[in-house]
Amino acid sequence: MTMDETAHMAARHLLLPTPDEMGHIDAAAARHVPVATLMENAGRAVARAIRRHMRPCRVLVLCGPGNNGGDGYVTARRLAEEGWPVSVAAMAPPHPGGDAAAAAALWRGPVVAFTPENAARFDLVVDAVFGAGLSRDIGPDVACVLKAAPRVVAIDMPTGVDGATGAVRGYAPQVEMTVTFCRLKPGHLLLPGHTLCGRTVLADIGIGEDAVVSVPIRTWHNAPGLWRTPACGPTSYKYSRGVVSICGGREMPGAARLSAAGARAAGAGLVRLAVGDSAEVYRMTAPPGLIVDSGALDALLQDSRRHVWVCGPGLSVDEVAATFPALVRAGRDVIADAGAFTMAAGQPDRLKGAAIITPHIGEFSRVFGKPGADRVAAARQAAVRTGAVTVMKGPDTIIASPDGRVAINSHATAMLGTAGSGDTLTGIIAALLAAGMPRWDAACAGVWMHGDAALHAGEWPIAEDFDRHLGAARARAEAAAQKVFG
């Protein structure tokens, strides 16, 4: 087993199956545990979560015709057994002869019409209409009922949220809590689904790990344990920790300095700025420990220890066009950002040869076209097109590898939406790449550490604040990974 395979087996709790993949997992699990048992366990888990987080109140359970509706019938029965006043409204009867029909037959409580007026009469509505596997827009009749509900708890996924993409199919309610099973789905982490889900509770309903790993899943929740940062031991020195080189521009020198600060704080052994004839501007403000090079790029590339380069932050189109191709020809690992996307607007092939690209959604659209509702698929396609690990930055950053692996990051804060934040991220990723991490792992770890630093940087931080918290972020990442790997 390779190191990557070992890591991924250790991190299988981070797998994010799509609804289709979850269907295969359910089918594999059913060979050992009856679906009726899993449904009973699911309804019990939902009722338990409601009792734990809410006070007793009048509850209406909205049930669809499939297994999500079956979970709803069990939830209603379990809450009623605990003394809660519960009614059921069926959007449609369960499919005859199925497990949901058997669950519905066990419900002996009140049944009311599936109408907005009835939804408005109850204190809490449990949404068991469709779940994560929705493949079409919901109809106005269902939307009107959900809109009338004063408070909603969803089973598996709020109705109307696509479990694979997080997109809204017609309409989806803002719910207070979502209870899902076995694993989170991509739609629980991707916007707007992530915010619509409210508090998300993941429940174990008896699906074995053998069933999970029997399905080839290529999407992960980004967290320590999916990757592990390189250790810094007693024999480490600056070149073993890695050299990061950053191309600096004439007009916006602050961007390169922010990238350099990120690289140094993330653990790079040595950081150098390649700035050509702008050296005097940089040297006046360069902190101790940061080397400013004024030599020609071709001469700097003679140093084989300088394998990782950042190209784009603060660079004009002409400056990128003069440096990026030379770095690629020299076989360097290049992280392309900012000005590189202006250079490649409408011409994604111009980014070929980069190791990692880090566009935000606007830059991504400028190069590849608008990603549409399925941003995971768009990021995967961009990675295949360019051959580069693609980091689609945003509140739900997506990290896609050309080999199809994707990680979705939710460990972040809106405070990262400030000028210079992306420049810091390129430096962090570069430091990890220079230390020997594989490209996708370095990108995933860099995104997580960047988010963690921002989460601990206080209220309304600016980009210059983030690097001061990166050492602690890396330590937290290493401690969390240690718990997974042992």
Side-chain angles (χ1 to χ4, degrees):
M1 186 177 292
T2 67
M3 185 177 298
D4 282 350
E5 290 170 336
T6 301
H8 292 170
M9 284 298 290
R12 59 191 180 188
H13 63 289
L14 298 172
L15 286 167
L16 294 174
T18 65
D20 285 347
E21 291 165 343
M22 196 65 224
H24 292 300
I25 292 172
D26 289 340
R31 290 195 285 269
H32 305 283
V33 183
V35 172
T37 300
L38 295 174
M39 190 173 288
E40 190 70 27
N41 293 344
R44 183 187 297 112
V46 176
R48 185 186 304 117
I50 290 173
R51 296 197 312 270
R52 181 179 298 130
H53 297 291
M54 299 179 179
R55 293 182 176 179
C57 61
R58 295 172 303 153
V59 178
L60 177 64
V61 182
L62 304 177
C63 294
N67 283 354
N68 193 249
D71 297 340
Y73 287 109
V74 177
T75 300
R77 174 161 49 83
R78 290 292 181 175
L79 284 174
E81 289 171 353
E82 295 294 328
W84 290 46
V86 183
S87 297
V88 166
M91 184 206 80
H95 303 304
D99 293 288
L106 294 175
W107 172 246
R108 302 286 190 264
V111 176
V112 302
F114 190 89
T115 64
E117 293 76 17
N118 280 332
R121 288 194 302 110
F122 289 80
D123 303 310
L124 175 67
V125 169
V126 176
D127 170 13
V129 181
F130 288 125
L134 187 69
S135 59
R136 56 183 172 82
D137 288 1
I138 66 169
D141 52 339
V142 176
C144 286
V145 173
L146 291 170
K147 287 177 182 178
R151 302 169 68 196
V152 181
V153 168
I155 298 181
D156 196 26
M157 188 73 71
T159 288
V161 174
D162 189 311
T165 68
V168 172
R169 306 297 301 263
Y171 170 79
Q174 173 64 63
V175 310
E176 290 190 25
M177 180 171 66
T178 299
V179 185
T180 192
F181 318 113
C182 183
R183 294 294 190 276
L184 296 179
K185 319 306 180 292
H188 291 121
L189 300 181
L190 294 166
L191 292 177
H194 179 65
T195 54
L196 292 173
C197 285
R199 177 201 299 266
T200 301
V201 176
L202 179 62
D204 178 4
I205 60 171
I207 294 176
E209 287 299 300
D210 289 347
V212 176
V213 299
S214 70
V215 178
I217 300 168
R218 304 289 281 168
T219 309
W220 308 77
H221 189 182
N222 188 36
L226 179 60
W227 37 264
R228 192 172 194 173
T229 55
C232 185
T235 61
S236 299
Y237 59 103
K238 63 183 177 183
Y239 289 114
S240 68
R241 287 172 58 173
V243 181
V244 172
S245 299
I246 300 168
C247 297
R250 179 184 295 274
E251 298 299 325
M252 291 187 287
R257 288 200 294 266
L258 285 169
S259 188
R264 296 182 71 203
L270 180 63
V271 179
R272 307 182 69 137
L273 294 178
V275 299
D277 58 8
S278 302
E280 199 58 37
V281 174
Y282 283 88
R283 284 175 178 147
M284 287 189 296
T285 56
L290 180 61
I291 298 175
V292 178
D293 294 315
S294 59
L297 183 60
D298 288 344
L300 301 179
L301 289 171
Q302 298 304 309
D303 187 345
S304 60
R305 296 171 301 187
R306 303 180 67 169
H307 194 71
V308 173
W309 287 72
V310 174
C311 182
L315 299 186
S316 68
V317 172
D318 289 342
E319 287 170 329
V320 174
T323 55
F324 179 76
L327 296 172
V328 171
R329 284 194 302 270
R332 298 301 188 257
D333 282 331
V334 184
I335 301 172
D337 188 33
F341 306 125
T342 304
M343 175 198 73
Q347 303 178 74
D349 289 346
R350 295 192 74 178
L351 294 173
K352 285 184 174 179
I356 301 169
I357 61 175
T358 59
H360 59 60
I361 197 70
E363 293 166 332
F364 186 96
S365 300
R366 194 181 310 150
V367 176
F368 300 99
K370 291 185 177 180
D374 194 344
R375 288 177 294 117
V376 168
R380 276 194 172 107
Q381 291 165 4
V384 171
R385 176 75 179 267
T386 60
V389 170
T390 299
V391 180
M392 187 190 288
K393 296 182 295 193
D396 51 359
T397 294
I398 298 166
I399 307 105
S401 170
D403 64 14
R405 288 175 295 167
V406 163
I408 300 171
N409 188 78
S410 61
H411 188 71
T413 166
M415 296 303 101
L416 285 170
T418 183
S421 171
D423 302 322
T424 303
L425 175 61
T426 60
I428 301 168
I429 296 173
L432 298 171
L433 188 63
M437 290 187 76
R439 293 174 178 182
W440 186 70
D441 297 56
C444 291
V447 168
W448 190 94
M449 287 169 54
H450 188 229
D452 191 76
L455 285 166
H456 291 84
E459 297 180 359
W460 296 104
I462 57 178
E464 292 91 324
D465 295 335
F466 298 147
D467 61 282
R468 295 187 292 107
H469 301 273
L470 282 171
R474 180 163 176 166
R476 283 187 287 269
E478 291 170 352
Q482 181 65 28
K483 292 180 181 178
V484 176
F485 289 102

